[in-house]
Amino acid sequence: MTRTSAGHAGAPNAAGDGVSRRWLWLGGGLSVAMVVAIGLQLGGAAPEALTLIGQMPPFVWPALLLLYLIQPLVDFVVFRRLWRLPLAGMAALFRKNVINEVVLGYSGEAYLYVWARRAAGGGVAPFAAIKDASILSALLGNFLTLVLAAVSAAQLRDLDFARQVGPALWSALIPFAISVGALLFARRVFSLAAAQLAYVGAVQGLRLAAWTGLTLLIWRLALPETPPGAWIVLLALRCLVSRIPLIPNKELVFGNLVLLLLGADAPISVLLAALALVMLMLHLVVMVALGAADLVRHLRPPSGITVRAAAAGRGGAC
């Protein structure tokens, strides 16, 4: 077991922080462009989306907050086991989540890798743990997507989903091909011990179950008159969009796609556009809060954090 300390729990180093800021600015610009696109497509319905945010049932808000917190909390549970990650490391996990959602998928993992190397003082190599956790998450997400797509195949065909998405849908085959390769060459792909892989897989499976349940609950609470079957189809659409690589803020992309498929007058379109904007606002609140916390921390003497590596069997845990 290795133990090393570092000065701050915020950014990994000045260079890494500068890179992450540049990517956040780029992703933020793209997200703003998508917000504008949604606003233009909503047209006269834009005020309805904003009104709907204020009129959503009270129980929607705690469910939305929990939905937002699921990913960083699950990351903490995983890396607490693999790295003995202290609670101070939650700041890096929140940043990872925002970078993944606002910039590009898996760019947050790159940030986490740089941060973990800095926090471990170079004594621990975190690549294996981040890689294996990401692959397992992707495998389970692909499986859920295939199940939902199979269940909703007829409805997706009626919506002319394939034509609307176009070439982007073919790019979604890349993650599925990678998943097949990961399964075929599992011994060479994965680095963690079998028990650790089972633990990470179980936690990621619980995350997907919680995400699915909370997403359906939020939609159902916000528009109770919509048939449950319609939400299953939309969930399949959301999962398919999440498989498309190299696009920022997939919630906004999903909201934009539903606007194209159903039209701006559909209550479902207005709801999903509103929820996408709420999620973007939450990202903004988190980044402002983390920035303020960094400012306060820099005004105090360094306190340090510790990242430890748990024994990993073959390949090492981190």
Side-chain angles (χ1 to χ4, degrees), residues 26-185:
L26 175 61
L30 292 172
S31 296
V32 169
M34 282 188 286
V35 170
V36 172
I38 285 180
L40 291 174
Q41 290 194 53
L42 281 171
E48 295 180 19
L50 296 175
T51 301
L52 183 60
I53 292 176
Q55 293 179 345
M56 283 192 290
F59 289 116
V60 168
W61 294 104
L64 266 172
L65 183 59
L66 186 55
L67 181 65
Y68 186 86
L69 292 174
I70 282 177
Q71 184 65 62
L73 288 176
V74 164
D75 285 338
F76 180 74
V77 170
V78 168
F79 294 116
R80 177 74 174 177
R81 170 75 173 265
L82 300 179
W83 294 344
R84 306 292 189 266
L85 184 70
L87 189 59
M90 280 296 297
L93 298 179
F94 272 108
R95 279 194 175 92
K96 164 188 171 289
N97 186 49
V98 174
I99 292 172
N100 270 342
E101 293 296 323
V102 177
V103 187
L104 296 173
Y106 297 109
S107 56
E109 272 72 17
Y111 167 82
L112 182 63
Y113 170 77
V114 177
W115 177 88
R117 284 297 298 265
R118 172 72 177 96
V124 172
F127 178 75
I130 296 173
K131 167 182 66 69
D132 286 7
S134 300
I135 291 174
L136 285 171
S137 177
L139 285 171
L140 292 169
N142 289 342
F143 176 75
L144 176 63
T145 301
L146 290 174
V147 171
L148 290 171
V151 171
S152 308
Q155 293 89 339
L156 291 173
R157 187 167 54 251
D158 293 340
L159 287 173
D160 202 11
F161 171 69
R163 187 182 66 82
Q164 293 283 0
V165 175
L169 188 60
W170 290 105
S171 68
L173 294 176
I174 297 173
F176 288 104
I178 293 174
S179 296
V180 172
L183 290 173
L184 291 176
F185 302 99

Side-chain angles (χ1 to χ4, degrees), residues 41-42 44-45 48 259 262-270:
Q41 290 194 53
L42 281 171
E48 295 180 19
L259 282 171
L262 302 181
D265 295 330
I268 292 176
S269 300
V270 177

